[in-house]
Amino acid sequence: VILQVGDHEFIKVSSFVNYGLAKVTSIKYIDRLIEEGKAKSKAPMSQDILTRIREGVRKSKRTPNEVLIAYSNHMDTELGRRS
């Protein structure tokens, strides 16, 4: 997935999502990185951009199996909540 300047405030130059480096982590870990100043919280992405990134998780041949499994489990849970 290619992201362009303007897709999100974080994108400063044309960029791509490197699914091969994706990993499963927890909200607690991300919150800790933000608290320690090692990461910054930004505005949410638009639904359109998020959908493109999500579709890429399954399409990419580089997405680690652990990530695919966690993503599938998460989406199954999300779909269950909407039913």
Side-chain angles (χ1 to χ4, degrees):
V1 172
I2 305 295
L3 301 173
Q4 302 296 334
V5 175
D7 283 344
H8 186 268
E9 68 178 278
F10 184 78
I11 306 300
K12 303 297 184 196
V13 297
S14 182
S15 305
F16 66 94
V17 178
N18 188 344
Y19 294 102
L21 295 178
K23 61 183 178 177
V24 178
T25 189
S26 68
I27 296 295
K28 284 183 181 182
Y29 177 72
I30 294 170
D31 285 342
R32 189 172 80 228
L33 290 176
I34 292 169
E35 288 172 14
E36 294 173 354
K38 296 178 182 175
K40 292 184 180 183
S41 180
K42 298 283 187 178
M45 288 192 165
S46 71
Q47 191 61 47
D48 176 57
I49 302 300
L50 187 56
T51 297
R52 286 177 38 215
I53 292 170
R54 285 179 169 175
E55 288 172 354
V57 170
R58 289 194 173 143
K59 288 181 182 177
S60 175
K61 294 178 176 140
R62 293 186 169 97
T63 304
N65 284 334
E66 174 185 275
V67 172
L68 285 170
I69 292 167
Y71 176 76
S72 291
N73 290 341
H74 171 75
M75 292 309 291
D76 289 348
T77 300
E78 283 296 308
L79 291 173
R81 288 183 192 162
R82 294 180 191 165
S83 299

